[in-house]
Amino acid sequence: MATFIIIIHILASLFLIAVVLLQSGKGAEMGAAFGGSSQTLFGSRGAATFLNKLTTVAAVIFMLTSLALTMVTTKTTSVIKQSAPIEQQKALPQLPQQPIQQPQQMPQKPTGK
C-alpha cells in the first residue's frame, strides 16, 4: 500500500513541477513590458486557464498523497506491545548475583569521660 502511494506521490510531484514551469508569469505579455497592462484587483488574465486548473488538481493530489503517506507510515505497534509479557520475563534464567559485601566499620576511639 505504501509503495503504491509513494509512486503516485512522486508522479504527482513531477507533474506539478512540469505544470508550474509551463505557465507564463503575470507580466509576460508584450504590453506589460512597456507599462501598458491594465492591472485589476485579481490580475489581468481573467478566468483561470487550463494550466491553472491542472496546477490546482496536481497540488491537491500531492497534498492528499502526503497525508496518506504520513498516516500509513506512522501506524506502527506500540513499544509496550512489542515487549515480552511478564510471565516470559520471569521464565528467563536469572544470572547469578554477587553477594553484597558490607563495608567494614572503622574501630571507634573511646571517648574519655
Side-chain angles (χ1 to χ4, degrees):
M1 179 71 173
T3 306
F4 176 71
I5 297 174
I6 289 173
I7 292 170
I8 299 297
H9 186 70
I10 290 171
L11 291 175
S13 63
L14 293 174
F15 184 72
L16 183 62
I17 291 169
V19 171
V20 168
L21 289 176
L22 285 174
Q23 293 182 14
S24 60
K26 285 188 176 182
E29 293 88 21
M30 191 63 171
F34 301 109
S37 67
S38 62
Q39 293 291 325
T40 60
L41 183 61
F42 296 107
S44 61
R45 298 178 79 175
T49 63
F50 181 68
L51 285 176
N52 286 347
K53 292 178 184 178
L54 278 179
T55 304
T56 303
V57 169
V60 168
I61 292 172
F62 180 79
M63 289 182 194
L64 289 177
T65 55
S66 296
L67 289 173
L69 279 172
T70 302
M71 292 189 318
V72 167
T73 57
T74 57
K75 288 194 176 191
T76 59
T77 59
S78 174
V79 175
I80 296 172
K81 292 179 182 177
Q82 291 177 356
S83 66
I86 296 173
E87 293 82 23
Q88 287 180 347
Q89 289 178 358
K90 287 181 181 177
L92 294 175
Q94 297 287 332
L95 295 175
Q97 296 182 357
Q98 301 218 353
I100 300 174
Q101 296 180 357
Q102 298 291 332
Q104 295 180 359
Q105 294 183 358
M106 300 285 282
Q108 296 182 354
K109 293 183 181 179
T111 57
K113 282 191 179 182

